[in-house]
Amino acid sequence: MKNLKEQTDAKIAAGRQANPDFMKGVDDVIIKAKAFQQGENAIKIGKKAPGFELPNPNGESISLDTLLNKGPLVITFYRGDWCPYCNLQLRALQARLSDIHELGATLVAISPQVPDGSMTKNEISEMEFIVLSDQDAKIASQYGVAWEVPEFLLDHMRVDRNLDLEKINNGNSNILPIPATFILGSDGIVKWNYVNVDYRTRSEPEEIIEALKKLT
């Protein structure tokens, strides 16, 4: 079975073949974002993670403290179930979820997507980890991974993909999280993180599992 990088590389290659001009534009956006070091404000290893209380797809409020009471916590910020790279990542995490649980950890995935009735029908919310809604990416901002999406990408989402992010997120349509993953100890301290402003590149589940092993 291909690892996550091989899967995302294949999707990027297919995108370059199908729509080379758009993918070149994405490359340019990412280069500019990296030049401005977007993502540099992400919570660093050794720092206390900000608390939160967010709704799940059923509207039930889940707090960081409640999650930490169970042990170490893996938090991954994703853009939404409309993002194909997010779907690849979350499916890869689902495939290794038993390994994460065996190491005493809980996995929670957070996006700005509003927790309405339709959300319970999609693939992501049927997975066996916790999915939470961070409206307007407020918690993503506190974790230093909120990103103002360039108009080039917003135009692509509106025109080419017919995505109304204002409706999907029930609020801000131009702020999305940088896909990022944090591992917190039960004390709430960041033990490991992965932040990359290139939304096509994600942490490997194996890297997360290896980091969790070091905690135990």
Side-chain angles (χ1 to χ4, degrees):
M1 181 178 177
K2 292 182 178 180
N3 64 24
L4 181 56
K5 185 178 188 306
E6 290 169 335
Q7 294 178 64
T8 53
D9 283 351
K11 184 167 285 294
I12 291 169
R16 292 196 193 287
Q17 186 172 10
N19 196 341
D21 291 339
F22 169 69
M23 292 300 277
K24 174 62 168 59
V26 172
D27 290 340
D28 292 342
V29 165
I30 297 304
I31 288 169
K32 289 178 182 177
K34 287 183 175 179
F36 284 104
Q37 296 182 308
Q38 294 189 30
E40 68 171 353
N41 293 324
I43 299 295
K44 303 294 190 294
I45 294 171
K47 298 296 184 180
K48 184 84 169 180
F52 59 74
E53 193 164 328
L54 295 171
N56 66 14
N58 297 321
E60 300 162 338
S61 188
I62 308 293
S63 72
L64 176 62
D65 287 342
T66 298
L67 295 169
L68 290 175
N69 284 339
K70 302 175 183 178
L73 181 65
V74 180
I75 301 175
T76 190
F77 288 91
Y78 71 102
R79 304 196 305 160
D81 66 5
W82 49 266
C83 170
Y85 298 98
C86 295
N87 285 321
L88 284 175
Q89 178 197 21
L90 296 182
R91 280 198 295 267
L93 287 170
Q94 171 68 35
R96 299 300 302 275
L97 190 59
S98 61
D99 297 309
I100 292 172
H101 287 169
E102 284 176 10
L103 291 166
T106 301
L107 172 63
V108 58
I110 300 175
S111 86
Q113 206 162 343
V114 67
D116 60 13
S118 63
M119 196 174 172
T120 62
K121 299 175 184 176
N122 65 46
E123 182 180 14
I124 287 177
S125 57
E126 290 176 355
M127 292 183 179
E128 298 169 42
F129 47 78
I130 299 167
V131 177
L132 299 178
S133 176
D134 175 24
Q135 211 168 321
D136 292 329
K138 291 177 181 177
I139 302 304
S141 180
Q142 291 178 24
Y143 277 68
V145 294
W147 184 40
E148 185 172 352
V149 182
E151 186 60 33
F152 166 78
L153 288 177
L154 291 174
D155 188 60
H156 163 71
M157 293 173 191
R158 284 192 297 263
V159 177
D160 299 330
R161 299 198 56 199
N162 197 29
L163 288 171
D164 183 351
L165 289 186
E166 187 171 356
K167 180 178 179 181
I168 291 170
N169 297 341
N170 191 30
N172 204 318
S173 63
N174 66 338
I175 303 293
L176 291 173
I178 296 169
T181 301
F182 299 87
I183 294 179
L184 311 186
S186 55
D187 55 2
I189 301 298
V190 177
K191 309 296 184 181
W192 182 90
N193 66 3
Y194 178 94
V195 181
N196 192 330
V197 73
D198 186 344
Y199 65 85
R200 302 167 297 183
T201 304
R202 311 297 174 97
S203 56
E204 286 287 343
E206 187 61 36
E207 295 173 327
I208 295 169
I209 289 165
E210 289 302 312
L212 286 170
K213 286 179 179 177
K214 292 177 181 178
L215 290 186
T216 57

